[in-house]
């Protein structure tokens, strides 16, 4: 889909300018899918390890960051801000999840010094 976005948009319109804009939007949206997939993985890890609060926080962060980011990005960069807002919101959720996962990893990892004794 990423490589053939021009042809995909071309199924719906013949306007070259619209095809170019649609392809640009698809490319940026596909970029956010990699980040979104990782944040979903973080949420699954939290659920699987009994960290309900962390999973809840991830869900809230994913849902609640998009609206303010969308508003601010639109005010700052107009059309391009709106297009990139999904990537920015997903990146914020990713960073929050990465920090919480790091804390969880340290919490679940046995203390090697105690095991050595």
């Amino acid at each position: 889909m990423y490589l053939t976005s021009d042809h995909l948009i071309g199924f719906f319109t013949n306007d070259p300018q619209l095809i170019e804009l649609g392809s640009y939007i698809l490319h940026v949206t596909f970029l956010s899918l990699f980040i979104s997939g990782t944040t979903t993985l973080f949420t699954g890890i939290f659920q699987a390890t009994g960290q309900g609060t962390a999973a809840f926080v991830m869900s809230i962060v994913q849902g609640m960051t998009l609206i303010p980011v969308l508003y601010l990005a639109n005010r700052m960069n107009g059309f391009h801000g709106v297009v990139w807002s999904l990537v920015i919101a997903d990146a914020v959720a990713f960073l929050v999840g990465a920090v919480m996962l790091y804390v969880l990893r340290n919490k679940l990892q046995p203390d090697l010094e105690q095991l050595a004794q």
Side-chain angles (χ1 to χ4, degrees):
M1 297 292 265
Y2 187 85
L3 299 174
T4 61
S5 61
D6 292 344
H7 300 294
L8 181 65
I9 301 296
F11 285 135
F12 302 100
T13 183
N14 292 330
D15 183 359
Q17 206 172 19
L18 194 55
I19 290 172
E20 183 180 341
L21 282 175
S23 180
Y24 166 66
I25 292 169
L26 280 177
H27 286 157
V28 173
T29 302
F30 279 115
L31 177 64
S32 76
L33 290 177
F34 293 107
I35 303 168
S36 181
T38 306
T39 57
T40 303
L41 178 65
F42 289 164
T43 303
I45 290 170
F46 296 140
Q47 289 173 343
T49 57
Q51 304 297 314
T53 303
F56 177 72
V57 168
M58 281 300 296
S59 296
I60 294 299
V61 167
Q62 281 182 297
M64 297 298 288
T65 55
L66 182 59
I67 303 275
V69 167
L70 186 59
Y71 177 77
L72 290 172
N74 181 43
R75 300 272 302 186
M76 293 171 59
N77 292 323
F79 172 75
H80 294 286
V82 170
V83 171
W84 282 92
S85 63
L86 184 60
V87 175
I88 296 166
D90 283 342
V92 168
F94 172 83
L95 291 174
V96 169
V99 168
M100 289 192 311
L101 187 62
Y102 180 77
V103 170
L104 174 66
R105 184 189 70 113
N106 288 338
K107 182 179 173 183
L108 293 178
Q109 190 174 32
D111 190 6
L112 296 177
E113 290 177 13
Q114 286 182 348
L115 291 175
Q117 295 174 353

